[in-house]
Amino acid sequence: MQIMSGMKVVIADDIFTNRLLLSEIIEDLGHEYITVENGKEAIEALMNNNIDIVLMDIEMPVMNGIDAIKTIKNDPDTKNIPIIMSTGIMTSAKHLRIALEAGAIDFIRKPFDKIELQARVNSALLLVKSYKQVIAQKEELLLQEKKIIEKESE
């Protein structure tokens, strides 16, 4: 089910076995990963690395996933990084709405289904790839426009 490889993922979960399982799934997809234990560490990982996507647990010590998402989405440098929320406890529609309103693009319930998680991660990474292509095209158009203006002013 590998669509692309070489992307970088932050896995934020306070439970070691969840981090281990998620890292194996991400590794099977051919991506790099960084594991952290709380939302504060997730934000630090985003600031210090070129991250493509975040898998974030809702309930964690120090800083929970919802507060971390709000911080990430309020920072111009990280606001466009997609975040998939995960939870084993807060699984109601209300919790889903809270996560999506905070800025998550998707929500997955624990225990994880490997195929479902891979599909959701790949969908989010396709979004990242498309976004990066649009930005690159926009920058190329601006460069071409600048060259035309410079040529006309000569």
mmCIF file with all atom_site columns, all heavy atoms in Angstrom, residues 7-24:
data_model
loop_
_atom_site.group_PDB
_atom_site.id
_atom_site.type_symbol
_atom_site.label_atom_id
_atom_site.label_alt_id
_atom_site.label_comp_id
_atom_site.label_asym_id
_atom_site.label_entity_id
_atom_site.label_seq_id
_atom_site.pdbx_PDB_ins_code
_atom_site.Cartn_x
_atom_site.Cartn_y
_atom_site.Cartn_z
_atom_site.occupancy
_atom_site.B_iso_or_equiv
_atom_site.pdbx_formal_charge
_atom_site.auth_seq_id
_atom_site.auth_comp_id
_atom_site.auth_asym_id
_atom_site.auth_atom_id
_atom_site.pdbx_PDB_model_num
ATOM 1   N N   . MET A 1 7  ? 8.912  10.520 3.468  1.00 0.00 ? 7  MET A N   1
ATOM 2   C CA  . MET A 1 7  ? 8.326  11.632 4.204  1.00 0.00 ? 7  MET A CA  1
ATOM 3   C C   . MET A 1 7  ? 8.726  11.491 5.676  1.00 0.00 ? 7  MET A C   1
ATOM 4   O O   . MET A 1 7  ? 9.188  10.442 6.104  1.00 0.00 ? 7  MET A O   1
ATOM 5   C CB  . MET A 1 7  ? 6.807  11.635 4.057  1.00 0.00 ? 7  MET A CB  1
ATOM 6   C CG  . MET A 1 7  ? 6.327  11.667 2.612  1.00 0.00 ? 7  MET A CG  1
ATOM 7   S SD  . MET A 1 7  ? 6.774  13.163 1.750  1.00 0.00 ? 7  MET A SD  1
ATOM 8   C CE  . MET A 1 7  ? 5.230  14.022 1.821  1.00 0.00 ? 7  MET A CE  1
ATOM 9   N N   . LYS A 1 8  ? 8.530  12.569 6.443  1.00 0.00 ? 8  LYS A N   1
ATOM 10  C CA  . LYS A 1 8  ? 8.917  12.551 7.848  1.00 0.00 ? 8  LYS A CA  1
ATOM 11  C C   . LYS A 1 8  ? 7.682  12.771 8.725  1.00 0.00 ? 8  LYS A C   1
ATOM 12  O O   . LYS A 1 8  ? 6.933  13.722 8.530  1.00 0.00 ? 8  LYS A O   1
ATOM 13  C CB  . LYS A 1 8  ? 9.962  13.616 8.126  1.00 0.00 ? 8  LYS A CB  1
ATOM 14  C CG  . LYS A 1 8  ? 10.735 13.377 9.391  1.00 0.00 ? 8  LYS A CG  1
ATOM 15  C CD  . LYS A 1 8  ? 12.023 14.151 9.374  1.00 0.00 ? 8  LYS A CD  1
ATOM 16  C CE  . LYS A 1 8  ? 12.980 13.564 10.378 1.00 0.00 ? 8  LYS A CE  1
ATOM 17  N NZ  . LYS A 1 8  ? 14.257 14.234 10.348 1.00 0.00 ? 8  LYS A NZ  1
ATOM 18  N N   . VAL A 1 9  ? 7.492  11.890 9.697  1.00 0.00 ? 9  VAL A N   1
ATOM 19  C CA  . VAL A 1 9  ? 6.296  11.844 10.530 1.00 0.00 ? 9  VAL A CA  1
ATOM 20  C C   . VAL A 1 9  ? 6.675  11.998 12.001 1.00 0.00 ? 9  VAL A C   1
ATOM 21  O O   . VAL A 1 9  ? 7.634  11.393 12.458 1.00 0.00 ? 9  VAL A O   1
ATOM 22  C CB  . VAL A 1 9  ? 5.565  10.490 10.333 1.00 0.00 ? 9  VAL A CB  1
ATOM 23  C CG1 . VAL A 1 9  ? 4.309  10.415 11.180 1.00 0.00 ? 9  VAL A CG1 1
ATOM 24  C CG2 . VAL A 1 9  ? 5.272  10.239 8.864  1.00 0.00 ? 9  VAL A CG2 1
ATOM 25  N N   . VAL A 1 10 ? 5.900  12.808 12.721 1.00 0.00 ? 10 VAL A N   1
ATOM 26  C CA  . VAL A 1 10 ? 6.019  12.852 14.178 1.00 0.00 ? 10 VAL A CA  1
ATOM 27  C C   . VAL A 1 10 ? 4.904  11.986 14.754 1.00 0.00 ? 10 VAL A C   1
ATOM 28  O O   . VAL A 1 10 ? 3.740  12.129 14.372 1.00 0.00 ? 10 VAL A O   1
ATOM 29  C CB  . VAL A 1 10 ? 5.909  14.290 14.734 1.00 0.00 ? 10 VAL A CB  1
ATOM 30  C CG1 . VAL A 1 10 ? 5.708  14.276 16.248 1.00 0.00 ? 10 VAL A CG1 1
ATOM 31  C CG2 . VAL A 1 10 ? 7.146  15.096 14.395 1.00 0.00 ? 10 VAL A CG2 1
ATOM 32  N N   . ILE A 1 11 ? 5.273  11.099 15.653 1.00 0.00 ? 11 ILE A N   1
ATOM 33  C CA  . ILE A 1 11 ? 4.324  10.241 16.360 1.00 0.00 ? 11 ILE A CA  1
ATOM 34  C C   . ILE A 1 11 ? 4.315  10.702 17.812 1.00 0.00 ? 11 ILE A C   1
ATOM 35  O O   . ILE A 1 11 ? 5.323  10.580 18.509 1.00 0.00 ? 11 ILE A O   1
ATOM 36  C CB  . ILE A 1 11 ? 4.743  8.762  16.267 1.00 0.00 ? 11 ILE A CB  1
ATOM 37  C CG1 . ILE A 1 11 ? 4.770  8.307  14.808 1.00 0.00 ? 11 ILE A CG1 1
ATOM 38  C CG2 . ILE A 1 11 ? 3.837  7.894  17.130 1.00 0.00 ? 11 ILE A CG2 1
ATOM 39  C CD1 . ILE A 1 11 ? 5.456  6.972  14.590 1.00 0.00 ? 11 ILE A CD1 1
ATOM 40  N N   . ALA A 1 12 ? 3.177  11.254 18.256 1.00 0.00 ? 12 ALA A N   1
ATOM 41  C CA  . ALA A 1 12 ? 3.060  11.755 19.628 1.00 0.00 ? 12 ALA A CA  1
ATOM 42  C C   . ALA A 1 12 ? 2.044  10.911 20.388 1.00 0.00 ? 12 ALA A C   1
ATOM 43  O O   . ALA A 1 12 ? 0.851  10.949 20.105 1.00 0.00 ? 12 ALA A O   1
ATOM 44  C CB  . ALA A 1 12 ? 2.628  13.222 19.608 1.00 0.00 ? 12 ALA A CB  1
ATOM 45  N N   . ASP A 1 13 ? 2.542  10.145 21.336 1.00 0.00 ? 13 ASP A N   1
ATOM 46  C CA  . ASP A 1 13 ? 1.676  9.292  22.155 1.00 0.00 ? 13 ASP A CA  1
ATOM 47  C C   . ASP A 1 13 ? 2.421  8.991  23.447 1.00 0.00 ? 13 ASP A C   1
ATOM 48  O O   . ASP A 1 13 ? 3.623  8.708  23.417 1.00 0.00 ? 13 ASP A O   1
ATOM 49  C CB  . ASP A 1 13 ? 1.343  7.994  21.410 1.00 0.00 ? 13 ASP A CB  1
ATOM 50  C CG  . ASP A 1 13 ? 0.141  7.278  22.001 1.00 0.00 ? 13 ASP A CG  1
ATOM 51  O OD1 . ASP A 1 13 ? 0.157  6.984  23.220 1.00 0.00 ? 13 ASP A OD1 1
ATOM 52  O OD2 . ASP A 1 13 ? -0.803 7.006  21.247 1.00 0.00 ? 13 ASP A OD2 1
ATOM 53  N N   . ASP A 1 14 ? 1.732  9.045  24.568 1.00 0.00 ? 14 ASP A N   1
ATOM 54  C CA  . ASP A 1 14 ? 2.388  8.812  25.853 1.00 0.00 ? 14 ASP A CA  1
ATOM 55  C C   . ASP A 1 14 ? 2.566  7.336  26.175 1.00 0.00 ? 14 ASP A C   1
ATOM 56  O O   . ASP A 1 14 ? 3.284  6.991  27.118 1.00 0.00 ? 14 ASP A O   1
ATOM 57  C CB  . ASP A 1 14 ? 1.638  9.517  26.986 1.00 0.00 ? 14 ASP A CB  1
ATOM 58  C CG  . ASP A 1 14 ? 0.198  9.072  27.120 1.00 0.00 ? 14 ASP A CG  1
ATOM 59  O OD1 . ASP A 1 14 ? -0.454 8.828  26.082 1.00 0.00 ? 14 ASP A OD1 1
ATOM 60  O OD2 . ASP A 1 14 ? -0.292 8.972  28.259 1.00 0.00 ? 14 ASP A OD2 1
ATOM 61  N N   . ILE A 1 15 ? 1.974  6.443  25.406 1.00 0.00 ? 15 ILE A N   1
ATOM 62  C CA  . ILE A 1 15 ? 2.077  5.002  25.652 1.00 0.00 ? 15 ILE A CA  1
ATOM 63  C C   . ILE A 1 15 ? 3.149  4.405  24.727 1.00 0.00 ? 15 ILE A C   1
ATOM 64  O O   . ILE A 1 15 ? 3.035  4.482  23.494 1.00 0.00 ? 15 ILE A O   1
ATOM 65  C CB  . ILE A 1 15 ? 0.724  4.296  25.410 1.00 0.00 ? 15 ILE A CB  1
ATOM 66  C CG1 . ILE A 1 15 ? -0.394 4.959  26.212 1.00 0.00 ? 15 ILE A CG1 1
ATOM 67  C CG2 . ILE A 1 15 ? 0.834  2.800  25.691 1.00 0.00 ? 15 ILE A CG2 1
ATOM 68  C CD1 . ILE A 1 15 ? -0.254 4.851  27.707 1.00 0.00 ? 15 ILE A CD1 1
ATOM 69  N N   . PHE A 1 16 ? 4.151  3.792  25.328 1.00 0.00 ? 16 PHE A N   1
ATOM 70  C CA  . PHE A 1 16 ? 5.272  3.243  24.563 1.00 0.00 ? 16 PHE A CA  1
ATOM 71  C C   . PHE A 1 16 ? 4.821  2.248  23.495 1.00 0.00 ? 16 PHE A C   1
ATOM 72  O O   . PHE A 1 16 ? 5.281  2.296  22.353 1.00 0.00 ? 16 PHE A O   1
ATOM 73  C CB  . PHE A 1 16 ? 6.291  2.575  25.502 1.00 0.00 ? 16 PHE A CB  1
ATOM 74  C CG  . PHE A 1 16 ? 7.370  1.843  24.761 1.00 0.00 ? 16 PHE A CG  1
ATOM 75  C CD1 . PHE A 1 16 ? 8.412  2.533  24.167 1.00 0.00 ? 16 PHE A CD1 1
ATOM 76  C CD2 . PHE A 1 16 ? 7.330  0.454  24.631 1.00 0.00 ? 16 PHE A CD2 1
ATOM 77  C CE1 . PHE A 1 16 ? 9.408  1.863  23.463 1.00 0.00 ? 16 PHE A CE1 1
ATOM 78  C CE2 . PHE A 1 16 ? 8.317  -0.227 23.931 1.00 0.00 ? 16 PHE A CE2 1
ATOM 79  C CZ  . PHE A 1 16 ? 9.363  0.488  23.345 1.00 0.00 ? 16 PHE A CZ  1
ATOM 80  N N   . THR A 1 17 ? 3.916  1.332  23.850 1.00 0.00 ? 17 THR A N   1
ATOM 81  C CA  . THR A 1 17 ? 3.497  0.316  22.878 1.00 0.00 ? 17 THR A CA  1
ATOM 82  C C   . THR A 1 17 ? 2.778  0.944  21.677 1.00 0.00 ? 17 THR A C   1
ATOM 83  O O   . THR A 1 17 ? 2.911  0.461  20.557 1.00 0.00 ? 17 THR A O   1
ATOM 84  C CB  . THR A 1 17 ? 2.592  -0.756 23.533 1.00 0.00 ? 17 THR A CB  1
ATOM 85  O OG1 . THR A 1 17 ? 1.509  -0.107 24.211 1.00 0.00 ? 17 THR A OG1 1
ATOM 86  C CG2 . THR A 1 17 ? 3.383  -1.611 24.513 1.00 0.00 ? 17 THR A CG2 1
ATOM 87  N N   . ASN A 1 18 ? 2.029  2.025  21.901 1.00 0.00 ? 18 ASN A N   1
ATOM 88  C CA  . ASN A 1 18 ? 1.396  2.728  20.776 1.00 0.00 ? 18 ASN A CA  1
ATOM 89  C C   . ASN A 1 18 ? 2.447  3.365  19.871 1.00 0.00 ? 18 ASN A C   1
ATOM 90  O O   . ASN A 1 18 ? 2.339  3.295  18.642 1.00 0.00 ? 18 ASN A O   1
ATOM 91  C CB  . ASN A 1 18 ? 0.427  3.807  21.272 1.00 0.00 ? 18 ASN A CB  1
ATOM 92  C CG  . ASN A 1 18 ? -0.814 3.227  21.902 1.00 0.00 ? 18 ASN A CG  1
ATOM 93  O OD1 . ASN A 1 18 ? -1.196 2.091  21.640 1.00 0.00 ? 18 ASN A OD1 1
ATOM 94  N ND2 . ASN A 1 18 ? -1.450 4.001  22.759 1.00 0.00 ? 18 ASN A ND2 1
ATOM 95  N N   . ARG A 1 19 ? 3.456  3.996  20.481 1.00 0.00 ? 19 ARG A N   1
ATOM 96  C CA  . ARG A 1 19 ? 4.534  4.599  19.675 1.00 0.00 ? 19 ARG A CA  1
ATOM 97  C C   . ARG A 1 19 ? 5.253  3.525  18.863 1.00 0.00 ? 19 ARG A C   1
ATOM 98  O O   . ARG A 1 19 ? 5.573  3.725  17.701 1.00 0.00 ? 19 ARG A O   1
ATOM 99  C CB  . ARG A 1 19 ? 5.524  5.349  20.568 1.00 0.00 ? 19 ARG A CB  1
ATOM 100 C CG  . ARG A 1 19 ? 4.970  6.610  21.187 1.00 0.00 ? 19 ARG A CG  1
ATOM 101 C CD  . ARG A 1 19 ? 6.053  7.485  21.819 1.00 0.00 ? 19 ARG A CD  1
ATOM 102 N NE  . ARG A 1 19 ? 6.930  6.800  22.748 1.00 0.00 ? 19 ARG A NE  1
ATOM 103 C CZ  . ARG A 1 19 ? 6.696  6.650  24.047 1.00 0.00 ? 19 ARG A CZ  1
ATOM 104 N NH1 . ARG A 1 19 ? 5.588  7.150  24.594 1.00 0.00 ? 19 ARG A NH1 1
ATOM 105 N NH2 . ARG A 1 19 ? 7.563  6.024  24.824 1.00 0.00 ? 19 ARG A NH2 1
ATOM 106 N N   . LEU A 1 20 ? 5.487  2.380  19.483 1.00 0.00 ? 20 LEU A N   1
ATOM 107 C CA  . LEU A 1 20 ? 6.168  1.283  18.803 1.00 0.00 ? 20 LEU A CA  1
ATOM 108 C C   . LEU A 1 20 ? 5.338  0.775  17.621 1.00 0.00 ? 20 LEU A C   1
ATOM 109 O O   . LEU A 1 20 ? 5.853  0.623  16.510 1.00 0.00 ? 20 LEU A O   1
ATOM 110 C CB  . LEU A 1 20 ? 6.450  0.148  19.793 1.00 0.00 ? 20 LEU A CB  1
ATOM 111 C CG  . LEU A 1 20 ? 7.228  -1.048 19.256 1.00 0.00 ? 20 LEU A CG  1
ATOM 112 C CD1 . LEU A 1 20 ? 8.621  -0.626 18.810 1.00 0.00 ? 20 LEU A CD1 1
ATOM 113 C CD2 . LEU A 1 20 ? 7.318  -2.124 20.333 1.00 0.00 ? 20 LEU A CD2 1
ATOM 114 N N   . LEU A 1 21 ? 4.064  0.536  17.852 1.00 0.00 ? 21 LEU A N   1
ATOM 115 C CA  . LEU A 1 21 ? 3.173  0.061  16.793 1.00 0.00 ? 21 LEU A CA  1
ATOM 116 C C   . LEU A 1 21 ? 3.093  1.081  15.651 1.00 0.00 ? 21 LEU A C   1
ATOM 117 O O   . LEU A 1 21 ? 3.226  0.719  14.471 1.00 0.00 ? 21 LEU A O   1
ATOM 118 C CB  . LEU A 1 21 ? 1.775  -0.208 17.352 1.00 0.00 ? 21 LEU A CB  1
ATOM 119 C CG  . LEU A 1 21 ? 0.700  -0.589 16.337 1.00 0.00 ? 21 LEU A CG  1
ATOM 120 C CD1 . LEU A 1 21 ? 1.031  -1.908 15.654 1.00 0.00 ? 21 LEU A CD1 1
ATOM 121 C CD2 . LEU A 1 21 ? -0.663 -0.660 17.000 1.00 0.00 ? 21 LEU A CD2 1
ATOM 122 N N   . LEU A 1 22 ? 2.880  2.344  15.990 1.00 0.00 ? 22 LEU A N   1
ATOM 123 C CA  . LEU A 1 22 ? 2.786  3.388  14.965 1.00 0.00 ? 22 LEU A CA  1
ATOM 124 C C   . LEU A 1 22 ? 4.093  3.538  14.193 1.00 0.00 ? 22 LEU A C   1
ATOM 125 O O   . LEU A 1 22 ? 4.077  3.697  12.967 1.00 0.00 ? 22 LEU A O   1
ATOM 126 C CB  . LEU A 1 22 ? 2.383  4.723  15.599 1.00 0.00 ? 22 LEU A CB  1
ATOM 127 C CG  . LEU A 1 22 ? 0.946  4.808  16.088 1.00 0.00 ? 22 LEU A CG  1
ATOM 128 C CD1 . LEU A 1 22 ? 0.744  6.055  16.939 1.00 0.00 ? 22 LEU A CD1 1
ATOM 129 C CD2 . LEU A 1 22 ? -0.028 4.780  14.926 1.00 0.00 ? 22 LEU A CD2 1
ATOM 130 N N   . SER A 1 23 ? 5.205  3.457  14.885 1.00 0.00 ? 23 SER A N   1
ATOM 131 C CA  . SER A 1 23 ? 6.487  3.597  14.193 1.00 0.00 ? 23 SER A CA  1
ATOM 132 C C   . SER A 1 23 ? 6.720  2.437  13.227 1.00 0.00 ? 23 SER A C   1
ATOM 133 O O   . SER A 1 23 ? 7.254  2.633  12.128 1.00 0.00 ? 23 SER A O   1
ATOM 134 C CB  . SER A 1 23 ? 7.645  3.725  15.188 1.00 0.00 ? 23 SER A CB  1
ATOM 135 O OG  . SER A 1 23 ? 7.774  2.567  15.985 1.00 0.00 ? 23 SER A OG  1
ATOM 136 N N   . GLU A 1 24 ? 6.300  1.229  13.592 1.00 0.00 ? 24 GLU A N   1
ATOM 137 C CA  . GLU A 1 24 ? 6.424  0.083  12.679 1.00 0.00 ? 24 GLU A CA  1
ATOM 138 C C   . GLU A 1 24 ? 5.550  0.273  11.445 1.00 0.00 ? 24 GLU A C   1
ATOM 139 O O   . GLU A 1 24 ? 5.977  -0.017 10.319 1.00 0.00 ? 24 GLU A O   1
ATOM 140 C CB  . GLU A 1 24 ? 6.047  -1.214 13.398 1.00 0.00 ? 24 GLU A CB  1
ATOM 141 C CG  . GLU A 1 24 ? 7.074  -1.654 14.427 1.00 0.00 ? 24 GLU A CG  1
ATOM 142 C CD  . GLU A 1 24 ? 6.618  -2.848 15.259 1.00 0.00 ? 24 GLU A CD  1
ATOM 143 O OE1 . GLU A 1 24 ? 5.478  -3.343 15.059 1.00 0.00 ? 24 GLU A OE1 1
ATOM 144 O OE2 . GLU A 1 24 ? 7.407  -3.282 16.123 1.00 0.00 ? 24 GLU A OE2 1
#
